[in-house]
Amino acid sequence: MTVPYSPDDREKVVAKLPAILRQELKVRAAELGVDIKDAVTEGVQAWRADDVERVPVDTTGGSSFSTYLPTGLYGEFKNDCKQRGIPFNQGIAQAIRLWLDTHHSPRRTAARPAWARRLIFGNQKGGVGKTATSSGVAQALAEAGNRVLLIDFDPQGHLTKQLGYELFDIESPSLAKHMLGEAKGELRELLVPIENGAFSGRLFMLPACKDAFLLDAKLATSRFVRIKETALEKALEPLEKEFDYIVVDCPPSLGYTMDTALYYCRTREGETSGLSGIFIPVLAEDSSADAYDMLYDQIQDLSVDMEVEISMLGFIVNMYDSRKGYIATSSLHSWKEIGDPPVVGVMPELKEQRESVRLKQPLLSYAPDCEQSEVMRAIARKVMS
């Protein structure tokens, strides 16, 4: 029987829980508009009311987690854990897991649109953070309950390698071969799941292939692709109904390959403007501004030539450090002054991103509480709003 506890009479509870579980609780509570302390209270009450033996939760590497339970419930719960022969940390982890399993993400059950929303991350300049931001935003979208496909469209394959996978070799099927009509089988057979934490089962990647270096030249001479700009869309079309978002990490190029990505993120007939489009990662320095001018011209030329609308969703100022002085701060101010597109995120230059790359782990599972992860989530929320 559940005891009627007063919601205003609470005591602090401290436990050690894995970062993945804490983050999943944080995201789910936010999605459902529930305070974390109320979610944990519901989980504890449900756990106490049902004394079935539960599957243990992996609490390895747990760190401090604190919340507030109604006064009296904490002591009773600790006694229950003792009677069931499990540590308190395991009990609270099981209670949270029970709440998560019985309070599903509203985004998982929402009706999927007729086609996936298409987000590309592009800039002609290399080293501005296209891979880091496309990967991080894709992780944040998946963490929030969406099915997301992350595509490594850069033949250098940084995204593929940073997530711990190998590039397809030149003789293997690949996205490039599907674009050129040279591949057998289905493209979905090439997808690999990113099985980490809060986005497990919802985030997939299409790895890069070394033959993509030849894609520009082959598109120029291919008889299979009558309209070059449509090649990426035709290849990905069979996958679109399986995902809520398709996120593309583009190459540092202004050639045909980039044209296919820009055409792919255009506003389609019947689609609201701004749902799909391009994010532009930049640095707080002058060379990024020069590169943006070239990309802007390419977007405008393609829009006119193909009679399409391509939404520029915003700048992401990457690796920002105000300690670098006037160049950094004045450049950030200049990006914000443009106004359209707006600056949608300022990514601080911190060690967590570099560490996650070195360890070949997704940032949001390696360091879910770091400032960079929070910026990725903020951008994802703007996408979903």
Side-chain angles (χ1 to χ4, degrees), residues 243-312:
F243 294 94
D244 300 301
Y245 293 90
I246 294 180
V247 178
V248 183
D249 178 23
C250 294
S253 163
L254 297 177
Y256 275 129
T257 301
M258 190 62 196
D259 277 347
T260 68
L262 288 169
Y263 183 81
Y264 183 58
C265 76
R266 77 193 185 285
T267 300
R268 294 176 177 173
E269 185 175 353
E271 183 179 24
T272 302
S273 177
L275 291 184
S276 298
I278 179 172
F279 283 108
I280 306 166
V282 297
L283 301 178
E285 39 94 309
D286 294 340
S287 62
S288 282
D290 296 336
Y292 168 63
D293 287 343
M294 290 186 283
L295 177 62
Y296 178 85
D297 289 342
Q298 182 178 13
I299 292 170
Q300 298 308 309
D301 290 345
L302 185 67
S303 298
V304 172
D305 292 345
M306 301 296 293
E307 298 182 342
V308 296
E309 177 189 355
I310 299 171
S311 295
M312 289 187 281

Side-chain angles (χ1 to χ4, degrees), residues 259-377:
D259 277 347
T260 68
L262 288 169
Y263 183 81
Y264 183 58
C265 76
R266 77 193 185 285
T267 300
R268 294 176 177 173
E269 185 175 353
E271 183 179 24
T272 302
S273 177
L275 291 184
S276 298
I278 179 172
F279 283 108
I280 306 166
V282 297
L283 301 178
E285 39 94 309
D286 294 340
S287 62
S288 282
D290 296 336
Y292 168 63
D293 287 343
M294 290 186 283
L295 177 62
Y296 178 85
D297 289 342
Q298 182 178 13
I299 292 170
Q300 298 308 309
D301 290 345
L302 185 67
S303 298
V304 172
D305 292 345
M306 301 296 293
E307 298 182 342
V308 296
E309 177 189 355
I310 299 171
S311 295
M312 289 187 281
L313 303 177
F315 297 112
I316 302 172
V317 182
N318 198 32
M319 295 185 284
Y320 178 73
D321 186 348
S322 62
R323 294 173 300 178
K324 292 180 179 178
Y326 174 74
I327 292 178
T329 56
S330 62
S331 294
L332 176 59
H333 179 70
S334 296
W335 288 120
K336 289 181 175 180
E337 272 194 328
I338 292 174
D340 185 17
V343 171
V344 295
V346 179
M347 201 70 60
E349 187 172 5
L350 299 171
K351 62 182 177 63
E352 285 85 357
Q353 177 67 47
R354 294 190 296 273
E355 289 174 350
S356 68
V357 169
R358 185 64 179 268
L359 296 171
K360 300 187 185 304
Q361 294 182 25
L363 173 66
L364 271 67
S365 62
Y366 170 72
D369 298 324
C370 77
E371 188 176 350
Q372 292 166 324
S373 292
E374 290 300 331
V375 174
M376 302 295 187
R377 293 188 187 98

Side-chain angles (χ1 to χ4, degrees), residues 18-45:
I20 289 173
L21 185 63
R22 289 187 285 113
Q23 187 56 43
E24 190 173 358
L25 172 64
K26 180 179 179 181
V27 171
R28 189 70 49 79
E31 286 182 321
L32 298 174
V34 176
D35 194 291
I36 288 178
K37 64 178 182 291
D38 293 328
V40 177
T41 298
E42 288 181 30
V44 166
Q45 290 174 328

